Amino acid sequence: MLLVCRFRVSPSEESAFTARVARALELLAARPGFRGGEAGRAIEDAGQWVLTVRFDSVDAYRRALGPFEVREHVHPLLAEADTTTEATYESLVTVAPGAAPVHHPSLLS
């Protein structure tokens, strides 16, 4: 499962935002089923940021959001994301360095 959240961040808020994102990733990384995550900003528009997080499954993602510390730090951050597009995706094709692509069955089928 892939979570993709987009944010608009002003230059004056950048330091606080990156600290919040780092804390959110740290908390999520401690949860079972976490596969990885990262945050970055657009090259063409420094105020446009993205946070991506990968989990083994939708269930692992949902369980990861449950603990109090996650609700306290991660939920408010995610609530600030752009909600005009979808944020959660199923991983259908993945590849590891030096490996062939792996096709995964759809959760929607």
Side-chain angles (χ1 to χ4, degrees):
M1 197 229 79
L2 176 64
L3 174 69
V4 180
C5 296
R6 293 168 184 81
F7 298 88
R8 173 60 59 186
V9 180
S10 70
S12 64
E13 299 170 336
E14 188 175 303
S15 178
F17 177 77
T18 56
R20 291 175 65 208
V21 165
R23 180 65 177 143
L25 286 169
E26 177 183 34
L27 290 168
L28 293 172
R31 305 304 308 155
F34 180 83
R35 286 192 180 176
E38 59 190 295
R41 74 173 156 208
I43 294 169
E44 297 84 12
D45 180 356
Q48 182 70 37
W49 285 74
V50 65
L51 168 67
T52 61
V53 181
R54 294 175 310 284
F55 281 91
D56 287 339
S57 66
V58 174
D59 289 340
Y61 165 67
R62 289 180 178 159
R63 282 191 303 273
L65 294 178
F68 175 77
E69 199 169 27
V70 173
R71 290 192 316 268
E72 181 180 33
H73 294 282
V74 178
H75 287 228
L77 176 68
L78 297 180
E80 296 173 19
D82 176 5
T83 58
T84 60
T85 62
E86 291 296 323
T88 54
Y89 298 84
E90 60 179 339
S91 295
L92 296 175
V93 180
T94 58
V95 66
V102 176
H103 295 263
H104 304 280
S106 174
L107 301 171
L108 304 176
S109 305

